[in-house]
Structure formats: C-alpha cells, structure tokens
Amino acid sequence: MIFLLGLYDDRFSSSSKIKILWIIIATVFLVLGDMYISDLGVFLGKEIGLPSWLAIIFTTFALVGFVNAVNLIDGIDGLCAGVSIVILIAYSYLGFKYDDQFLFYVSSFLIFSLLGFLWFNWNPSKIFMGDSGSLTLGFVIAVLSIHSVEKDYITPTTVLLLTAVPILDTLVVMLRRIRNGQNPFKADKTHIHHIILKQHYQNVSKTSKLLILLQAVFTYIGLGFKVRDDLIILTIFIMLFILFYALLTPKKNKLKKC
C-alpha cells in the first residue's frame, strides 16, 4: 500500500493529507495484527503503560510522523539511503543479538539492497529513490522499530536516538514553520541538509557524509545506553533538539536601516 502511494505520488503528486490518510489506513493493518506500542518505557523506576485505545493512537501518530520524516530527508543524493543503512545496521544487530530471524533478515536484506542502490545514488547520482522508495523504507523501519519495542529489545525512547536525524530534522522544521505562522506540512528548503549544504558551499557529498556520520554517533549512543531509565534518554534527545534548533535556525536581522 505504501509503495503504491509513493508510486502514485512520484507520477502525479498527491497532497500531504492524502499521504497521511493512506499511511493511517496501512497502520490499521498493523494494529489488526496486534502490532502497536503498548508502553512508553520506564521513567524514574516506574513503567508507563498505555491503555489499548491510547496505544493505537500513539502508534499511528508515531508511525505517520516517522514515515514522513524519512520521506523529507530524501532531499540530496545519498542521504536517505545512507542514514537508513545506519539505522538498519542497528536493527540487524538487535536481531542477531536476540536471535530474532525476522528482525535480522529483513534488516540485512534492506542494508544490502540499499548499498547497491547507494552506489548509483551517490553524488552525482544516476538514479533516485523517489517517494515510492523513501515512504516504503520509512514504513518498514517503523515496523522494525515497533517489533523491537514489542519484544522489549529497546524502548520507545531509544528509538528516538536510533533514528535521530530524520526525527530531529522534522521536529526542527515543523517548529520553525509554526513559529513563523506557516503551514507545518508545506514543503520548503529549510531542512537540516539544505542549511548544512549552504554552509558547505553546495558540497552534496560532504553534507551527506556529515549527516550519515551524525546518525551513526546517535545510533551508537542509543545501542550502548545501559541505564534502564528512559527519562535520561528523553532528556538527551530534548537537549539535542534544542541544540539543533538553535544552530540550524537562521537568525532574523534585527538591524534597521538608518
């Protein structure tokens, strides 16, 4: 369903409302298969569980947000595929560690598929991912994340670090648009990669490498975190969000003409 949505969007271009509705419909099938996030983790020694109705709403909201986040970082050559490979390596590792064949084989299959794709997608690219690729990729990663949370390999807050770059990018851009009185879903060129690209004199390869490396650092921290208190992980993510917003939000010129 998600692939067909992306294919249609690549050919005819659909509105953000249609995309969100279609992703919600696809999420219904996951929920019908009892695949949803039922708790938020452990905070100050207490596990925060969710009633079924709230768990379904939270899962739908998180999934729609993440799929769109992956779609939005597909703005320059190699970035979406590179960041996704790093994220999938984390899930492949979790599958190997916990002997979860579904998690290991799906992650590994996508990693090697993306490596082959990245060979031709790196700047200057010969092929492009398109929405059919980025939306599908985002949905599959979201499913792997929910599966890992359900199996208690990780917590929902750990996912924030394992997939930090697309989530931070989307949150920063949406907050900036809302503060400026703009439509938070309207496409523009104020994403993290656009700003860094401008700072590095339009060097696409350097920008992609920098953000892929950044995702690798976040993923390593997420996998290596041994403290079972999600409040600490959430605090780290909020600090990262504040830092990203401060560094990547252009300052308005307050000087007036004489």
Side-chain angles (χ1 to χ4, degrees):
M1 288 180 64
I2 300 299
F3 173 74
L4 291 175
L5 167 65
L7 202 61
Y8 178 86
D9 193 53
D10 286 332
R11 182 66 180 85
F12 302 105
S13 186
S14 57
S15 67
S16 57
K17 292 180 180 179
I18 294 296
K19 287 183 182 179
I20 291 172
L21 177 62
W22 204 249
I23 296 170
I24 290 174
I25 293 172
T27 306
V28 169
F29 286 94
L30 294 181
V31 173
L32 290 175
D34 291 328
M35 181 174 279
Y36 54 86
I37 301 170
S38 57
D39 67 80
L40 298 179
V42 179
F43 293 83
L44 299 176
K46 184 178 180 180
E47 186 171 355
I48 307 298
L50 297 173
S52 296
W53 65 271
L54 186 56
I56 292 170
I57 293 173
F58 176 77
T59 301
T60 303
F61 177 80
L63 200 146
V64 169
F66 183 74
V67 171
N68 278 285
V70 174
N71 179 235
L72 290 173
I73 66 166
D74 186 28
I76 58 175
D77 296 339
L79 179 58
C80 186
V83 167
S84 297
I85 287 171
V86 173
I87 296 171
L88 288 165
I89 287 173
Y91 287 116
S92 180
Y93 166 76
L94 289 172
F96 176 79
K97 180 180 179 180
Y98 293 102
D99 195 26
D100 188 320
Q101 293 190 1
F102 167 75
L103 191 59
F104 177 75
Y105 284 119
V106 172
S107 300
S108 299
F109 172 80
L110 280 174
I111 289 168
F112 286 106
S113 298
L114 286 172
L115 284 172
F117 170 80
L118 192 60
W119 180 265
F120 298 99
N121 182 239
W122 197 257
N123 185 256
S125 61
K126 297 179 179 66
I127 57 175
F128 302 95
M129 183 174 290
D131 284 354
S132 56
S134 59
L135 290 174
T136 305
L137 190 57
F139 193 85
V140 174
I141 292 176
V143 170
L144 296 178
S145 300
I146 295 171
H147 175 81
S148 300
V149 170
E150 277 191 316
K151 295 293 185 179
D152 202 31
Y153 303 152
I154 55 176
T155 63
T157 47
T158 305
V159 176
L160 293 175
L161 290 179
L162 296 184
T163 60
V165 167
I167 294 177
L168 283 171
D169 175 52
T170 301
L171 291 176
V172 167
V173 170
M174 291 187 73
L175 178 59
R176 188 191 299 127
R177 289 173 184 167
I178 291 171
R179 289 192 62 184
N180 292 333
Q182 300 171 341
N183 183 351
F185 299 104
K186 185 179 180 181
D188 59 23
K189 292 190 175 182
T190 62
H191 290 275
I192 291 175
H193 53 271
H194 290 128
I195 296 172
I196 295 178
L197 187 63
K198 187 176 180 180
Q199 293 172 346
H200 287 86
Y201 306 102
Q202 305 301 316
N203 190 321
V204 175
S205 295
K206 191 173 182 179
T207 301
S208 293
K209 288 176 183 177
L210 179 62
L211 288 171
I212 292 169
L213 178 61
L214 199 60
Q215 179 59 66
V217 172
F218 293 149
T219 299
Y220 178 79
I221 294 172
L223 286 177
F225 220 91
K226 304 300 181 183
V227 179
R228 297 294 290 181
D229 192 331
D230 291 292
L231 181 61
I232 298 175
I233 302 175
L234 184 60
T235 302
I236 291 174
F237 182 80
I238 292 173
M239 291 173 64
L240 286 171
F241 170 71
I242 294 171
L243 180 63
F244 266 60
Y245 186 83
L247 293 177
L248 297 172
T249 300
K251 303 296 185 295
K252 292 183 179 180
N253 187 2
K254 297 182 179 181
L255 296 176
K256 296 182 179 179
K257 292 183 179 180
C258 297

